[in-house]
Amino acid sequence: MGKISGSFISLSRDRMETEILMDTFLNIDDINLLKKIFAKEIDKTKLEPKIEYLEFF
């Protein structure tokens, strides 16, 4: 059986952690927190997150 290189394991772990982080981030449903995180973008676009279309924000 062949060996798995350390760089492959590291890359796989990095991808897994990134996916978990993004899934967590995308599931934020606290409107006030989103307004703080995206304050600059909201100021530029004048679009604010609303619960009705939160999944598209």
Side-chain angles (χ1 to χ4, degrees):
M1 183 173 233
K3 292 184 178 183
I4 298 175
S5 73
S7 61
F8 176 76
I9 293 171
S10 180
L11 180 60
S12 295
R13 180 177 177 176
D14 182 55
R15 285 183 180 161
M16 181 183 69
E17 288 174 352
T18 300
E19 286 183 29
I20 291 169
L21 178 64
M22 288 306 298
D23 284 346
T24 301
F25 181 76
L26 291 173
N27 285 313
I28 295 174
D29 61 357
D30 181 336
I31 299 294
N32 290 323
L33 178 58
L34 289 170
K35 286 180 180 181
K36 289 177 185 177
I37 293 171
F38 294 105
K40 291 179 184 177
E41 291 81 358
I42 291 170
D43 189 47
K44 286 180 188 177
T45 63
K46 306 300 182 216
L47 297 173
E48 292 194 20
K50 297 189 189 271
I51 199 70
E52 297 84 25
Y53 55 85
L54 188 59
E55 65 184 293
F56 304 108
F57 184 74

